[in-house]
Amino acid sequence: MRDRQVSPRLRPLVAGNWKMNGLRKNLPEIAKICAAAAEGGAGEAELVICPPATMIMAAASICEGAPVALGGQHCHAEPSGPFTGDISAEMLKDAGAKYVILGHSERRSGHNEGNEAVREKAVAAFRAGLTAIVCVGETKAEREAGEALPVVGAQLAGSIPLNSSSETLVIAYEPVWAIGTGLTPTTHDIAEMHRFIRGQIHEHLPGRGDAIRILYGGSVKPGNAGELMRVENVDGALVGGASLTSDDFMAIAGVYR
Ligand code: PEP
């Protein structure tokens, strides 16, 4: 896009969070994303698909040689051990992942993951050589109470390891009330929040604030992606529902062509 206002130094990232959706029969969708990306369909953007962990190994062989990376949707803080049902960052890396989403609101609320747990998992991701996509975002009640900025500020302060860098950390601002609802904040509110997050990163990670990508997530669709991705300090998108079909996902990533 010619008129983007974000720092031209940051390569945009468009990541798809498949959540608990996806069986082997859905692997061709990933193959279609790889084919479209190989033809330049995402322009300057980096693409990441985060399918269920059960699909990562098969997806990795499909994505081999294609400009599409894979990610997990959470990880345990320990590398291995007696943690039935959990997956370590090392296991995700071994399966072919390059990224891991951490602190998604569905993990924070459904699995009681607080800021400290998210930070420990981010440290584990770094240890394993993964890049952590750390999610933050306020609830509707918090926004209506005028608490959005302090809530996100506290999440950032508690969740981000102090040794994070642009290679190891991506922030995703996902207002909880916008996830899967079809609702989005105004571009004014997104700009205000992303500017605030940029400032917070500068404070917590001196000298690294300008290089860390800040994604917007929450009901990003082909129809609104152009407008949302043009907002200042929005360096890409974390996409849920619309990442499940290659057509929609590539239409979103296509705003960076
Ligand atoms: C998400 O779950 O991270 C998300 C942004 O979902 P959706 O795009 O469906 O709102």
Side-chain angles (χ1 to χ4, degrees):
M1 294 176 70
R2 284 179 194 83
D3 57 346
R4 283 180 70 235
Q5 295 169 41
V6 298
S7 163
R9 290 181 295 109
L10 301 190
R11 184 180 179 202
L13 175 67
V14 179
N17 173 14
W18 279 26
K19 312 193 188 198
M20 200 173 73
N21 300 292
L23 300 170
R24 277 186 294 175
K25 69 179 182 193
N26 303 111
L27 286 167
E29 221 49 52
I30 292 179
K32 280 198 225 164
I33 291 169
C34 289
E39 284 170 15
E44 55 169 329
E46 183 179 355
L47 292 186
V48 181
I49 304 287
C50 302
T54 49
M55 296 177 75
I56 292 178
M57 276 181 76
S61 55
I62 290 170
C63 293
E64 211 174 322
V68 178
L70 293 164
Q73 299 174 11
H74 75 100
C75 70
H76 196 280
E78 295 296 327
S80 61
F83 305 104
T84 303
D86 274 311
I87 295 176
S88 70
E90 281 77 2
M91 290 169 179
L92 292 173
K93 174 85 176 173
D94 185 55
K98 191 173 168 208
Y99 285 84
V100 60
I101 298 170
L102 296 175
H104 190 282
S105 69
E106 289 153 15
R107 300 287 313 176
R108 287 182 185 264
S109 64
H111 297 264
N112 279 328
E113 289 184 8
N115 293 326
E116 194 181 335
V118 173
R119 185 171 37 75
E120 285 169 0
K121 288 163 192 262
V123 168
F126 301 173
R127 179 189 66 220
L130 297 175
T131 298
I133 301 175
V134 171
C135 303
V136 293
E138 82 286 355
T139 63
K140 188 81 179 156
E142 288 163 343
R143 176 154 288 273
E144 284 170 357
E147 296 290 319
L149 298 185
V151 163
V152 168
Q155 289 173 337
L156 290 167
S159 306
I160 296 178
L162 294 180
N163 64 344
S164 302
S165 72
S166 58
E167 298 297 312
T168 58
L169 180 72
V170 173
I171 303 292
Y173 168 56
E174 298 208 306
V176 177
W177 52 274
I179 295 176
T181 59
L183 303 172
T184 54
T186 63
T187 52
H188 173 274
D189 286 346
I190 294 174
E192 178 188 48
M193 182 60 83
H194 279 238
R195 190 180 320 117
F196 171 74
I197 293 172
R198 179 75 65 210
Q200 294 292 295
I201 306 174
H202 270 293
E203 242 175 62
H204 296 304
L205 308 172
R208 288 158 282 173
D210 280 335
I212 290 176
R213 292 176 289 189
I214 308 170
L215 313 183
Y216 169 75
S219 295
V220 178
K221 309 280 178 217
N224 62 17
E227 185 187 16
L228 297 175
M229 297 303 104
R230 263 196 302 276
V231 175
E232 197 169 358
N233 283 307
V234 172
D235 306 313
L238 179 54
V239 185
S243 70
L244 291 169
T245 61
S246 55
D247 285 351
D248 281 355
F249 188 61
M250 292 310 297
I252 292 167
V255 304
Y256 291 109
R257 266 185 304 181

